[in-house]
Amino acid sequence: MTAPASPPPSSPLPPARRRKRSPLPVVLGVAALVGLTGFIAFGNLGKSLEYFVTPSEYLQQRAELEGRPIRIGGLVKAVQYNPQTLDLKFTVSDGGASFPVTYNGAVSDLFKENQGVVVRGEFTGNTFHARELVVKHSEEYQVPKTQAELKDLLQRTE
């Protein structure tokens, strides 16, 4: 004989209660992450910007630009270059104001008097100490059509 089956329970078990989690830690974590990302992205942005100014604009904004890395552009005047020491001294001018510039390094063949230049560096006192020179060249380029024009071009560059 078999044992009698146990009767089914008279009432079903109540549904399990879910523990309610507080959303506060997640909200705080997301806010901290957004704040940290914003600080990294924008906090030091002002220190890393390099402004491009002309000598006249620098005179007007001297207080806020002094000691910061900037780019200054204008025409080259009064060039003094020593190829042995690679020391270069010149004046950059925009017609309204001019500043002496010092640079140490190799100089492009395109660098010459009355040529446009952009120099990157910082002002120390009234002298601009350049770390990099960018020389503007003519936008016109014509291929020599004959051998005589090519020889003439080569002689002019020497």
Short mmCIF file of all heavy atoms in Angstrom, two decimals, residues 112-140:
data_model
loop_
_atom_site.label_atom_id
_atom_site.label_comp_id
_atom_site.label_asym_id
_atom_site.label_seq_id
_atom_site.Cartn_x
_atom_site.Cartn_y
_atom_site.Cartn_z
N LYS A 112 63.23 85.75 -44.71
CA LYS A 112 64.01 86.91 -45.15
C LYS A 112 63.25 88.17 -44.76
O LYS A 112 62.11 88.12 -44.32
CB LYS A 112 64.29 86.86 -46.64
CG LYS A 112 63.06 86.76 -47.51
CD LYS A 112 63.43 86.51 -48.96
CE LYS A 112 62.18 86.17 -49.73
NZ LYS A 112 62.45 85.64 -51.03
N GLU A 113 63.91 89.29 -44.95
CA GLU A 113 63.33 90.58 -44.60
C GLU A 113 62.09 90.87 -45.45
O GLU A 113 62.00 90.48 -46.61
CB GLU A 113 64.37 91.68 -44.81
CG GLU A 113 64.02 92.91 -44.05
CD GLU A 113 65.24 93.58 -43.44
OE1 GLU A 113 66.25 92.91 -43.19
OE2 GLU A 113 65.13 94.77 -43.20
N ASN A 114 61.13 91.55 -44.84
CA ASN A 114 59.84 91.92 -45.45
C ASN A 114 59.01 90.71 -45.85
O ASN A 114 58.18 90.79 -46.74
CB ASN A 114 60.05 92.85 -46.66
CG ASN A 114 60.58 94.19 -46.24
OD1 ASN A 114 60.20 94.72 -45.20
ND2 ASN A 114 61.48 94.74 -47.03
N GLN A 115 59.24 89.60 -45.19
CA GLN A 115 58.47 88.38 -45.43
C GLN A 115 57.56 88.16 -44.22
O GLN A 115 57.93 88.49 -43.10
CB GLN A 115 59.44 87.20 -45.59
CG GLN A 115 58.78 85.91 -45.99
CD GLN A 115 58.31 85.92 -47.44
OE1 GLN A 115 58.82 86.66 -48.25
NE2 GLN A 115 57.34 85.10 -47.73
N GLY A 116 56.39 87.61 -44.44
CA GLY A 116 55.47 87.32 -43.33
C GLY A 116 55.98 86.17 -42.50
O GLY A 116 56.55 85.21 -43.02
N VAL A 117 55.78 86.26 -41.18
CA VAL A 117 56.23 85.20 -40.28
C VAL A 117 55.24 85.10 -39.10
O VAL A 117 54.62 86.09 -38.72
CB VAL A 117 57.67 85.48 -39.75
CG1 VAL A 117 57.69 86.69 -38.84
CG2 VAL A 117 58.25 84.27 -39.05
N VAL A 118 55.11 83.89 -38.59
CA VAL A 118 54.37 83.65 -37.35
C VAL A 118 55.35 82.96 -36.42
O VAL A 118 55.96 81.96 -36.79
CB VAL A 118 53.13 82.75 -37.57
CG1 VAL A 118 52.47 82.42 -36.25
CG2 VAL A 118 52.15 83.42 -38.51
N VAL A 119 55.53 83.53 -35.23
CA VAL A 119 56.45 82.94 -34.26
C VAL A 119 55.68 82.51 -33.03
O VAL A 119 54.75 83.18 -32.58
CB VAL A 119 57.59 83.93 -33.88
CG1 VAL A 119 58.56 84.09 -35.01
CG2 VAL A 119 57.05 85.27 -33.48
N ARG A 120 56.05 81.36 -32.49
CA ARG A 120 55.40 80.80 -31.31
C ARG A 120 56.39 80.89 -30.16
O ARG A 120 57.54 80.50 -30.30
CB ARG A 120 55.04 79.36 -31.56
CG ARG A 120 54.54 78.63 -30.33
CD ARG A 120 54.42 77.17 -30.59
NE ARG A 120 53.10 76.91 -31.13
CZ ARG A 120 52.74 75.76 -31.63
NH1 ARG A 120 53.59 74.77 -31.72
NH2 ARG A 120 51.52 75.59 -32.08
N GLY A 121 55.95 81.42 -29.04
CA GLY A 121 56.82 81.54 -27.88
C GLY A 121 56.18 82.40 -26.81
O GLY A 121 54.95 82.44 -26.69
N GLU A 122 57.02 83.09 -26.03
CA GLU A 122 56.54 83.90 -24.92
C GLU A 122 57.31 85.21 -24.84
O GLU A 122 58.47 85.26 -25.23
CB GLU A 122 56.72 83.16 -23.61
CG GLU A 122 55.96 81.87 -23.52
CD GLU A 122 56.38 81.03 -22.31
OE1 GLU A 122 57.33 81.41 -21.61
OE2 GLU A 122 55.75 80.00 -22.10
N PHE A 123 56.68 86.21 -24.31
CA PHE A 123 57.34 87.48 -24.05
C PHE A 123 58.05 87.42 -22.70
O PHE A 123 57.51 86.90 -21.73
CB PHE A 123 56.33 88.64 -24.01
CG PHE A 123 56.09 89.26 -25.33
CD1 PHE A 123 55.02 88.85 -26.12
CD2 PHE A 123 56.94 90.24 -25.82
CE1 PHE A 123 54.80 89.42 -27.34
CE2 PHE A 123 56.72 90.81 -27.05
CZ PHE A 123 55.65 90.40 -27.82
N THR A 124 59.26 87.95 -22.69
CA THR A 124 59.99 88.18 -21.46
C THR A 124 60.41 89.64 -21.50
O THR A 124 61.28 90.01 -22.27
CB THR A 124 61.23 87.26 -21.35
OG1 THR A 124 60.82 85.91 -21.49
CG2 THR A 124 61.93 87.46 -20.02
N GLY A 125 59.74 90.44 -20.72
CA GLY A 125 59.97 91.88 -20.80
C GLY A 125 59.41 92.39 -22.12
O GLY A 125 58.26 92.15 -22.46
N ASN A 126 60.25 93.07 -22.89
CA ASN A 126 59.83 93.59 -24.20
C ASN A 126 60.29 92.71 -25.35
O ASN A 126 60.01 93.02 -26.50
CB ASN A 126 60.36 95.01 -24.39
CG ASN A 126 59.26 96.03 -24.35
OD1 ASN A 126 58.11 95.70 -24.11
ND2 ASN A 126 59.62 97.27 -24.58
N THR A 127 61.01 91.63 -25.07
CA THR A 127 61.55 90.75 -26.11
C THR A 127 60.73 89.47 -26.18
O THR A 127 60.41 88.87 -25.17
CB THR A 127 63.02 90.41 -25.81
OG1 THR A 127 63.75 91.63 -25.70
CG2 THR A 127 63.62 89.57 -26.91
N PHE A 128 60.44 89.07 -27.41
CA PHE A 128 59.70 87.82 -27.64
C PHE A 128 60.71 86.71 -27.86
O PHE A 128 61.55 86.78 -28.75
CB PHE A 128 58.79 87.96 -28.86
CG PHE A 128 57.83 86.83 -29.02
CD1 PHE A 128 56.67 86.78 -28.28
CD2 PHE A 128 58.09 85.82 -29.92
CE1 PHE A 128 55.77 85.74 -28.45
CE2 PHE A 128 57.20 84.77 -30.09
CZ PHE A 128 56.04 84.72 -29.34
N HIS A 129 60.66 85.66 -27.05
CA HIS A 129 61.54 84.50 -27.19
C HIS A 129 60.78 83.40 -27.91
O HIS A 129 59.85 82.81 -27.36
CB HIS A 129 62.03 84.02 -25.83
CG HIS A 129 62.89 85.03 -25.14
ND1 HIS A 129 64.21 85.22 -25.45
CD2 HIS A 129 62.59 85.94 -24.17
CE1 HIS A 129 64.70 86.19 -24.71
NE2 HIS A 129 63.74 86.65 -23.93
N ALA A 130 61.18 83.16 -29.16
CA ALA A 130 60.45 82.23 -30.02
C ALA A 130 60.97 80.81 -29.84
O ALA A 130 62.17 80.58 -29.71
CB ALA A 130 60.58 82.66 -31.47
N ARG A 131 60.07 79.85 -29.87
CA ARG A 131 60.41 78.43 -29.89
C ARG A 131 60.24 77.84 -31.28
O ARG A 131 60.81 76.80 -31.58
CB ARG A 131 59.50 77.67 -28.92
CG ARG A 131 59.72 77.96 -27.47
CD ARG A 131 58.89 77.03 -26.60
NE ARG A 131 57.51 76.93 -27.06
CZ ARG A 131 56.49 77.53 -26.49
NH1 ARG A 131 56.66 78.28 -25.43
NH2 ARG A 131 55.27 77.38 -26.96
N GLU A 132 59.42 78.49 -32.10
CA GLU A 132 59.13 77.96 -33.44
C GLU A 132 58.86 79.12 -34.39
O GLU A 132 58.23 80.10 -34.02
CB GLU A 132 57.90 77.06 -33.37
CG GLU A 132 57.50 76.45 -34.67
CD GLU A 132 56.24 75.61 -34.57
OE1 GLU A 132 55.64 75.51 -33.49
OE2 GLU A 132 55.85 75.06 -35.61
N LEU A 133 59.35 78.98 -35.62
CA LEU A 133 59.11 79.97 -36.68
C LEU A 133 58.28 79.31 -37.77
O LEU A 133 58.59 78.21 -38.20
CB LEU A 133 60.42 80.43 -37.32
CG LEU A 133 61.41 81.21 -36.50
CD1 LEU A 133 62.65 81.49 -37.33
CD2 LEU A 133 60.82 82.51 -36.03
N VAL A 134 57.27 80.01 -38.23
CA VAL A 134 56.49 79.56 -39.39
C VAL A 134 56.56 80.68 -40.40
O VAL A 134 56.07 81.78 -40.15
CB VAL A 134 55.02 79.25 -39.01
CG1 VAL A 134 54.25 78.80 -40.24
CG2 VAL A 134 54.95 78.22 -37.91
N VAL A 135 57.20 80.41 -41.52
CA VAL A 135 57.43 81.44 -42.53
C VAL A 135 56.35 81.36 -43.58
O VAL A 135 56.04 80.29 -44.11
CB VAL A 135 58.82 81.26 -43.18
CG1 VAL A 135 59.07 82.34 -44.19
CG2 VAL A 135 59.89 81.26 -42.12
N LYS A 136 55.78 82.51 -43.90
CA LYS A 136 54.77 82.57 -44.95
C LYS A 136 55.47 82.68 -46.30
O LYS A 136 56.42 83.44 -46.45
CB LYS A 136 53.86 83.77 -44.74
CG LYS A 136 52.73 83.84 -45.73
CD LYS A 136 51.81 84.99 -45.43
CE LYS A 136 50.70 85.01 -46.47
NZ LYS A 136 49.80 86.12 -46.27
N HIS A 137 55.01 81.93 -47.24
CA HIS A 137 55.61 81.97 -48.57
C HIS A 137 54.59 82.48 -49.57
O HIS A 137 53.41 82.61 -49.27
CB HIS A 137 56.11 80.59 -48.99
CG HIS A 137 55.03 79.55 -49.01
ND1 HIS A 137 54.17 79.40 -50.06
CD2 HIS A 137 54.64 78.66 -48.08
CE1 HIS A 137 53.31 78.44 -49.81
NE2 HIS A 137 53.57 77.97 -48.61
N SER A 138 55.06 82.75 -50.75
CA SER A 138 54.18 83.25 -51.80
C SER A 138 53.16 82.18 -52.15
O SER A 138 53.47 80.99 -52.19
CB SER A 138 55.01 83.60 -53.04
OG SER A 138 54.16 83.86 -54.12
N GLU A 139 51.97 82.60 -52.43
CA GLU A 139 50.92 81.65 -52.81
C GLU A 139 50.96 81.33 -54.29
O GLU A 139 50.21 80.50 -54.77
CB GLU A 139 49.56 82.20 -52.41
CG GLU A 139 49.41 82.33 -50.92
CD GLU A 139 48.10 82.96 -50.51
OE1 GLU A 139 47.28 83.26 -51.39
OE2 GLU A 139 47.91 83.16 -49.31
N GLU A 140 51.81 82.01 -55.02
CA GLU A 140 51.93 81.76 -56.45
C GLU A 140 53.07 80.79 -56.69
O GLU A 140 54.18 81.00 -56.23
CB GLU A 140 52.23 83.07 -57.19
CG GLU A 140 51.11 84.07 -57.11
CD GLU A 140 51.47 85.36 -57.82
OE1 GLU A 140 52.40 85.35 -58.66
OE2 GLU A 140 50.84 86.36 -57.53
#
